[in-house]
Amino acid sequence: MTLIDSDATLEPLEFAVTKNLTAKNPSERAQILADPGFGAHFTDHMVDLCWSQKGGWHRPRVQPFGPISLSPAAAVLHYGQEIFEGIKAYRHADGGVYTFRPDQNAKRLRRSARRLALPELPTEYFLQSLRELIAVDADWVPSGDDQSLYLRPFMFASEAFLGVRPANKVAYYLIASPAGAYFTGGVTPVKIWLSEHHARAAKGGTGAAKTGGNYAASLLPQSEAYENGCDQVVFLDPDGNVEELGGMNVVFVHADGTLVTPASDSILEGITRDSILALAEDRGHTVERRSVSLQEWRDGVASGDIVEVFACGTAAVVTPIGELRAEGFTDTQPTGTLALELRKELTDIQYGRAEDRHGWLVRLDA
Ligand SMILES: *Cc1c(COP(=O)(O)O)cnc(C)c1O
């Protein structure tokens, strides 16, 4: 697999490594890994890299995980110039630590960077940052069923400047957080609230970039979902078509076996979705990426033409949607077996239990 595109000639970075002298001991770590939850515990180290207009990417470091020193005038705190990624590391039965399609996350981080007027981190540096963190924190990759180490790369405007323009100083960080099985006691269908008064993305906006602002915009409607007894929100795009959930893409399964997923330039293109659809195509399913109106969804469910609806993303992998609720209606969604079959097929590849025929896995600890 070719991981490197335009930056094939870059020299690897020389990371300065400072070990954490107060790292968790093996029994403290084992206690956390026994029930890590999601996003609540962090490994002993983090990686960081600076960028400046003059010096480009510089000062690569591996440091103890801890607070970041930032000027109160740092542009990110005022104007939200920030992007991130989400990717997992998996422990295989042979003890090795693998990750899944990291070249795609690197590419998406570059696309997000362009939209937020941030510098593009070379793909090779992105991959090196993952390897450097695993080199010091590999023991944090859990080995339990459906457990993983969630890797969170992010980049933000660190320049102390209140004028409005792209920052001349930027920081890239990588932190990691052990993650437990998303569903304990079996995958259960989620209830989805239709957000009719709030959008997450505007036409020509930042919907296709993985940036904190999109999430900030989703929090109020998410609270509305909870108040209405739902787990997640589905957003409509600027034309009123089905877009996605706050952090997961949506796929509709039709009676003839066709899988349809919304396409629009306000949707974040998920790597999980792309992989699930590739596995479905391998099985002979037709895949369509096109606009899907709310009416088409509701009519399809009513007529029986839509036989399954699911959401997908790195954190939960694949989640069947069991109900769509809105102010004026509640539509029970049909449930089938394809979503869970594809989920199993994908996680079997990720955890090394099935052949990686697409060459999606990359070993990080060797
Ligand atoms: C990250 C994200 C997804 C899912 O992408 P994956 O690459 O599958 O994890 C979907 N929607 C939004 C808004 C996201 O931020």
Side-chain angles (χ1 to χ4, degrees), residues 33-92:
L33 296 185
D35 184 20
F38 184 83
H41 300 280
F42 302 95
T43 65
D44 296 311
H45 297 89
M46 60 188 187
V47 170
D48 82 316
L49 198 54
C50 298
W51 179 89
S52 68
Q53 185 73 50
K54 284 199 185 110
W57 293 104
H58 63 278
R59 210 185 65 179
R61 296 188 299 188
V62 176
Q63 310 183 66
F65 178 91
I68 296 174
S69 168
L70 211 54
S71 165
V76 64
L77 301 176
H78 305 272
Y79 310 125
Q81 195 188 3
E82 185 269 355
I83 55 176
F84 66 97
E85 270 301 323
I87 179 169
K88 285 174 170 174
Y90 309 92
R91 174 82 63 192
H92 284 197

Side-chain angles (χ1 to χ4, degrees), residues 162-184:
L162 295 182
V164 179
R165 59 150 170 75
N168 289 330
K169 282 190 185 148
V170 167
Y172 166 79
Y173 279 81
L174 170 64
I175 58 173
S177 173
Y182 197 89
F183 297 100
T184 45

Side-chain angles (χ1 to χ4, degrees), residues 29 43 100 182 197 212 224 230 292 294 341 356:
R29 191 171 59 234
T43 65
F100 185 75
Y182 197 89
H197 305 295
E224 201 177 281
C230 293
V292 178
L294 179 64
E341 281 175 33
D356 175 25

Side-chain angles (χ1 to χ4, degrees), residues 35-254:
D35 184 20
F38 184 83
H41 300 280
F42 302 95
T43 65
D44 296 311
H45 297 89
M46 60 188 187
V47 170
D48 82 316
L49 198 54
C50 298
W51 179 89
S52 68
Q53 185 73 50
K54 284 199 185 110
W57 293 104
H58 63 278
R59 210 185 65 179
R61 296 188 299 188
V62 176
Q63 310 183 66
F65 178 91
I68 296 174
S69 168
L70 211 54
S71 165
V76 64
L77 301 176
H78 305 272
Y79 310 125
Q81 195 188 3
E82 185 269 355
I83 55 176
F84 66 97
E85 270 301 323
I87 179 169
K88 285 174 170 174
Y90 309 92
R91 174 82 63 192
H92 284 197
D94 66 4
V97 175
Y98 292 78
T99 193
F100 185 75
R101 306 186 75 183
D103 53 314
Q104 295 301 309
N105 294 85
K107 259 194 204 160
R108 189 168 66 189
L109 187 68
R110 297 174 75 144
R111 286 203 303 273
S112 298
R114 258 174 255 150
R115 180 63 185 85
L116 273 289
L118 284 161
E120 286 182 45
L121 181 70
T123 298
E124 196 46 39
Y125 290 178
F126 177 84
L127 297 170
Q128 221 192 328
S129 71
L130 304 183
R131 290 205 163 89
E132 290 288 336
L133 192 63
I134 293 301
V136 291
D137 281 341
D139 288 344
W140 282 95
V141 182
S143 54
D145 271 358
D146 271 346
Q147 290 190 324
S148 60
L149 183 65
Y150 183 79
L151 303 168
R152 167 54 60 88
F154 59 105
M155 191 194 293
F156 59 87
S158 55
E159 184 183 3
F161 182 62
L162 295 182
V164 179
R165 59 150 170 75
N168 289 330
K169 282 190 185 148
V170 167
Y172 166 79
Y173 279 81
L174 170 64
I175 58 173
S177 173
Y182 197 89
F183 297 100
T184 45
V187 179
T188 38
V190 292
K191 295 189 172 90
I192 302 290
W193 177 251
L194 178 69
S195 180
E196 291 176 281
H197 305 295
H198 305 288
R200 72 176 274 286
K203 209 174 187 79
T206 56
K210 212 166 174 75
T211 180
N214 295 339
Y215 280 74
S218 76
L219 298 178
L220 179 63
Q222 180 66 49
S223 309
E224 201 177 281
Y226 290 141
E227 283 160 20
N228 286 281
C230 293
D231 312 282
Q232 291 271 339
V233 187
V234 62
F235 291 98
L236 299 178
D237 78 7
D239 300 316
N241 293 308
V242 180
E243 189 182 54
E244 60 173 318
L245 311 189
M248 294 177 98
N249 296 121
V250 177
V251 177
F252 301 95
V253 184
H254 286 255

